[in-house]
Amino acid sequence: MPESPKYKNWKVVTEADFVSLFIKTWFAYISTLRVMFPEAQNRRGDGKYINAYKSYYKKDGRKQVIVDDKIMHSIETLYREGRKIIMSQYPEYYFWDFYHVNEDFEYTFKDIPPDKSECLIVGLKMNRNRGTKWSFIISGFVRFWGTHYKVDYKGNVQFQYNISEILNSSADYIKENPSISEQDYLSWILQKISEEVTHSLVQSFKSYYEQSNDGTRQKTKIGELEKKAIWMIWSVFNLNGKDDSNKSKEEMERSRNTYEIIQQLPISYFQYHMDVDIQPQDRVLSSSEEEWFKKLYEKRNQNSIFWFLSFVYRLRNALFHEIIDPLNEEWQIVFKNAYLVLKEIVDLNIQIIDEKKKS
């Protein structure tokens, strides 16, 4: 059997050192958090310290962490390689590592003329079942009233669907489609959720028709309102899956909490936009659009760190539970770039601690 060249062996040893450097830096990271957030002390693990730092980062830390090209390059490499490994080896964790259920999602559509002679209101809201860790329910309603052929009609149809089963089944979908893109994955999961939400709405309307005393003409009118409600719900899911680069000015101005049910972290199609500029280059932008994209770049940088803080904790757990092979080249790339970013955060934390001691 031919002997492996020495320089290759030295390279393997060097890359493996990044795993040990990550471990040492992780303990340095936790030691700074213990000083910064003593109220988060917990014998059961590091989770409370991590959550305390994430809360701090959202409020004040994001102003101090400078995400330069070097840090962004390490995060992008970590994201790309980490996504590849998770999809191929641990698809059950893929959604939770790279996506997020928006618990602040709430959408309302109102069609009410000035005289209030008729009305259509459609509402959707995300609710988390506090009894379980990963149970999310979309609840909705369609409220309507009016007069059709001089006969009044009025109703309030409510519906809901637990999306958790779809989230969990996405692991099987990834196993069947191991090379799926960010765009296709988000499109698939949004389509599945929209289909089930629509089915729930249709079933609730079916029960309403069976129990109501409305005449044929009124039921026909209500059926038209049902179709409009379905169309409005579909428009929400379509906008959720739309690339920021392709949004109209009106869509840019909408609050993301009114249409983002599933959110990719750090931003939608993050890996795709590593190579393709987020800001469109094929048209002239207004000053307000340019400002919107400027804020989007800032959001990408800030959210990149926030995603990193969650992902690096999961890396720590994988490493400490001996899930990974430290000599695997893909894992070495992951830990190398995780170490490089984490060290920057540790250095900043030490600087903050030292400045507080002096004051």
Side-chain angles (χ1 to χ4, degrees), residues 121-240:
I121 304 176
V122 181
L124 288 174
K125 182 178 175 59
M126 181 66 70
N127 299 284
R128 182 170 178 174
N129 185 347
R130 299 296 174 181
T132 58
K133 188 177 182 181
W134 304 119
S135 183
F136 299 94
I137 298 172
I138 295 180
S139 59
F141 67 86
V142 180
R143 194 174 301 141
F144 51 86
W145 73 72
T147 303
H148 191 59
Y149 283 93
K150 299 182 180 181
V151 178
D152 293 340
Y153 63 88
K154 183 178 182 180
N156 184 9
V157 176
Q158 299 185 16
F159 57 96
Q160 68 176 31
Y161 177 72
N162 191 326
I163 70 172
S164 304
E165 183 176 341
I166 293 176
L167 302 183
N168 293 330
S169 68
S170 70
D172 293 328
Y173 182 73
I174 291 172
K175 289 178 183 178
E176 297 168 0
N177 303 273
S179 301
I180 192 169
S181 67
E182 301 163 297
Q183 293 92 331
D184 289 343
Y185 175 78
L186 184 59
S187 176
W188 173 82
I189 204 165
L190 289 174
Q191 180 182 348
K192 286 295 182 182
I193 295 174
S194 66
E195 287 174 354
E196 294 298 338
V197 169
T198 301
H199 177 73
S200 176
L201 181 151
V202 170
Q203 291 301 111
S204 295
F205 263 96
K206 183 178 179 181
S207 298
Y208 170 83
Y209 295 136
E210 292 173 350
Q211 298 171 14
S212 74
N213 296 317
D214 295 316
T216 302
R217 288 178 172 176
Q218 283 65 48
K219 286 184 178 179
T220 300
K221 174 64 177 180
I222 294 170
E224 294 173 357
L225 297 176
E226 176 188 356
K227 291 178 182 178
K228 186 172 183 178
I230 291 173
W231 187 87
M232 297 310 302
I233 291 173
W234 284 354
S235 70
V236 172
F237 283 92
N238 287 336
L239 186 53
N240 190 167

Side-chain angles (χ1 to χ4, degrees), residues 2-23:
E3 185 178 349
S4 178
K6 291 182 179 179
Y7 64 86
K8 288 189 176 182
N9 291 338
W10 278 112
K11 181 179 182 299
V12 170
V13 173
T14 302
E15 295 297 334
D17 278 349
F18 282 108
V19 178
S20 61
L21 281 173
F22 173 84
I23 296 173

Side-chain angles (χ1 to χ4, degrees), residues 49-310:
Y49 289 112
I50 307 302
N51 291 334
Y53 187 79
K54 287 165 72 174
S55 298
Y56 161 77
Y57 175 78
K58 273 187 174 181
K59 185 179 179 181
D60 300 313
R62 60 188 178 85
K63 302 172 186 176
Q64 298 173 305
V65 179
I66 300 174
V67 185
D68 56 21
D69 291 342
K70 183 175 69 173
I71 290 180
M72 183 55 70
H73 175 72
S74 293
I75 289 178
E76 289 178 349
T77 304
L78 173 63
Y79 191 97
R80 185 186 292 109
E81 296 300 321
R83 181 177 182 271
K84 188 191 305 180
I85 291 176
I86 297 301
M87 290 184 74
S88 62
Q89 299 183 23
Y90 309 103
E92 65 273 21
Y93 297 131
Y94 176 67
F95 178 86
W96 309 109
D97 280 345
F98 299 95
Y99 293 83
H100 169 74
V101 177
N102 183 13
E103 295 182 52
D104 295 321
F105 166 72
E106 187 168 3
Y107 166 78
T108 303
F109 167 80
K110 294 183 179 182
D111 186 7
I112 306 174
D115 62 2
K116 298 183 180 179
S117 59
E118 59 183 13
C119 158
L120 173 64
I121 304 176
V122 181
L124 288 174
K125 182 178 175 59
M126 181 66 70
N127 299 284
R128 182 170 178 174
N129 185 347
R130 299 296 174 181
T132 58
K133 188 177 182 181
W134 304 119
S135 183
F136 299 94
I137 298 172
I138 295 180
S139 59
F141 67 86
V142 180
R143 194 174 301 141
F144 51 86
W145 73 72
T147 303
H148 191 59
Y149 283 93
K150 299 182 180 181
V151 178
D152 293 340
Y153 63 88
K154 183 178 182 180
N156 184 9
V157 176
Q158 299 185 16
F159 57 96
Q160 68 176 31
Y161 177 72
N162 191 326
I163 70 172
S164 304
E165 183 176 341
I166 293 176
L167 302 183
N168 293 330
S169 68
S170 70
D172 293 328
Y173 182 73
I174 291 172
K175 289 178 183 178
E176 297 168 0
N177 303 273
S179 301
I180 192 169
S181 67
E182 301 163 297
Q183 293 92 331
D184 289 343
Y185 175 78
L186 184 59
S187 176
W188 173 82
I189 204 165
L190 289 174
Q191 180 182 348
K192 286 295 182 182
I193 295 174
S194 66
E195 287 174 354
E196 294 298 338
V197 169
T198 301
H199 177 73
S200 176
L201 181 151
V202 170
Q203 291 301 111
S204 295
F205 263 96
K206 183 178 179 181
S207 298
Y208 170 83
Y209 295 136
E210 292 173 350
Q211 298 171 14
S212 74
N213 296 317
D214 295 316
T216 302
R217 288 178 172 176
Q218 283 65 48
K219 286 184 178 179
T220 300
K221 174 64 177 180
I222 294 170
E224 294 173 357
L225 297 176
E226 176 188 356
K227 291 178 182 178
K228 186 172 183 178
I230 291 173
W231 187 87
M232 297 310 302
I233 291 173
W234 284 354
S235 70
V236 172
F237 283 92
N238 287 336
L239 186 53
N240 190 167
K242 194 172 186 178
D243 192 334
D244 284 323
S245 299
N246 300 325
K247 287 179 180 175
S248 66
K249 186 174 182 296
E250 291 72 22
E251 291 168 340
M252 292 178 186
E253 293 171 348
R254 280 184 59 171
S255 166
R256 291 182 182 273
N257 287 335
T258 65
Y259 63 87
E260 287 193 345
I261 300 157
I262 303 298
Q263 296 174 323
Q264 182 178 349
L265 299 174
I267 61 170
S268 294
Y269 312 140
F270 179 63
Q271 184 168 323
Y272 171 74
H273 285 298
M274 293 178 193
D275 303 313
V276 179
D277 200 342
I278 302 174
Q279 182 169 315
Q281 305 297 315
D282 57 350
R283 63 185 176 90
V284 178
L285 302 178
S286 66
S287 57
S288 61
E289 288 176 319
E290 288 182 349
E291 181 64 22
W292 188 83
F293 278 107
K294 179 183 177 182
K295 291 180 179 178
L296 183 59
Y297 283 117
E298 294 173 356
K299 177 185 176 183
R300 179 201 62 177
N301 291 355
Q302 294 169 2
N303 284 5
S304 294
I305 296 294
F306 197 72
W307 168 80
F308 172 81
L309 295 174
S310 297

